[in-house]
Structures are given as C-alpha cells and as structure tokens.
Amino acid sequence: MGRLSGVGLSATDLPGSETWSDKVRRRARTLIRTIDRGYMELAELLYTVHDTPINGDPNQPSVCVSWGFSGFADWAEKELGLHRRKAERLQRIWWEMEVRLAGKLPPAVKQRIIELGWSKVREVVRVLSETNAEQWVEMAENLTHPELCNAIRQALIEQEKKEQADAVGGDDDE
C-alpha cells in the first residue's frame, strides 16, 4: 500500500478501520475538485480504497461498502461524481506507475511522465516499461493526445504481431 500523502493518517489508523476510512474518504472528496493538478494523489487514493477491505480483513469487501455504497464504482460515481471508467483508469495509472514499475524508473523520468497530465499518462502506461520509458515520455511530450494514441495503438499492434510470430516460431522448436 502507498504512503497516502496528504490524508493525515497516523500510525494507529488501521487500514480499513473507521478512522482510516473517514480520513481517506474526506481527502478523496477534496482531491476530486483538483483532479488536473492532483491526479496522482487521487489515483493513489482510488487504488487504495479499491484494494483495502473493511477493517483490513481480506474476506470483506472494499471499505467503501462500509460507507453505504454497493462497491467501488458506485462510490466513485455517486460521491465523487467521477465516472466509473475514469476512476478505474486513474486507479490503473497508480498501479502501473507505483506497483508494476515501482523503483524501475529514474525519478526524473517518472516526474516527466507525471507532468504529462492524466490523459496522456493513462495512454502511455499501456506500453511503458523500464526500457522504453524515456522514448515514450519524449514522444508524449512532443505529440498531441490523438497523435500519441495513434502511436500507442500502432506499437500495440506491432507488439501483438511479434508475440504471434514468436508463438508460431516457438512451436517449430518443439
């Protein structure tokens, strides 16, 4: 789990507990008003709320159920006014940047990625790796959003073709 900067949690706030959830919920409602500037912090909160069960019990649903919502999407839409897909995309940005690529990107490159803004970052994380990050950041900085989407779409098509060719070639080796 992330550090949840800005939430005001103390060491005694057990993830999923009532005091923890009150603080996280209050901060999410504040951040939704500043999404363009604070999208990474909001992404972290969305990721955390989605993945934190009530009282930290893995057999329990997400803590947002204890707030009276049917689930994560219901909470994001009704309380934050955030469409379910946007909430999921922000949550994925956090997962890609802070879980999958944790510690694998140079801090300067990571900062440049974040500064692209959430709409470009949500696209770039689809193809981002520790070996191609610099290349994709540079492209994203110099392309419009539609141009970036086209470049990513093409890269994914090429990657799929390569994987298919490798799979076919791999069968011949057996």
Side-chain angles (χ1 to χ4, degrees):
M1 192 175 324
R3 63 196 179 287
L4 292 179
S5 57
V7 176
L9 295 173
S10 68
T12 60
D13 291 324
L14 174 68
S17 69
E18 189 174 338
T19 56
W20 179 93
S21 82
D22 286 345
K23 290 176 182 179
V24 168
R25 185 178 186 190
R26 199 169 31 254
R27 185 66 180 150
R29 287 190 301 234
T30 300
L31 288 173
I32 194 64
R33 294 189 297 265
T34 61
I35 191 166
D36 290 331
R37 293 187 319 271
Y39 81 93
M40 281 301 285
E41 187 180 353
L42 180 59
E44 177 186 15
L45 280 167
L46 291 168
Y47 174 82
T48 303
V49 166
H50 182 270
D51 285 10
T52 302
I54 298 169
N55 291 319
D57 180 351
N59 297 315
Q60 293 291 317
S62 169
V63 69
C64 58
V65 172
S66 70
W67 303 335
F69 298 96
S70 63
F72 176 78
D74 186 45
W75 168 69
E77 288 182 348
K78 290 180 180 170
E79 183 158 38
L80 303 180
L82 194 60
H83 190 275
R84 168 189 64 79
R85 285 182 45 101
K86 189 170 189 174
E88 290 167 353
R89 287 174 174 164
L90 284 164
Q91 174 191 356
R92 179 168 181 204
I93 286 171
W94 180 263
W95 184 84
E96 294 284 352
M97 296 291 294
E98 300 296 336
V99 177
R100 185 177 67 85
L101 293 171
K104 296 178 181 175
L105 300 176
V109 172
K110 182 177 172 184
Q111 186 59 40
R112 285 174 59 204
I113 293 168
I114 292 168
E115 289 171 0
L116 293 170
W118 95 271
S119 61
K120 282 189 174 182
V121 173
R122 79 167 186 241
E123 302 300 334
V124 168
V125 296
R126 298 170 59 202
V127 293
L128 201 62
S129 72
E130 59 188 291
T131 58
N132 69 14
E134 184 72 40
Q135 169 196 351
W136 279 109
V137 172
E138 193 168 314
M139 286 177 65
E141 289 171 338
N142 294 301
L143 296 175
T144 65
H145 187 266
E147 291 169 337
L148 178 63
C149 290
N150 286 335
I152 290 169
R153 190 176 309 111
Q154 188 60 44
L156 291 171
I157 289 169
E158 290 172 15
Q159 179 182 341
E160 185 176 329
K161 285 179 183 177
K162 183 184 180 315
E163 288 171 0
Q164 288 174 349
D166 289 349
V168 170
D171 290 342
D172 292 341
D173 294 339
E174 291 179 24

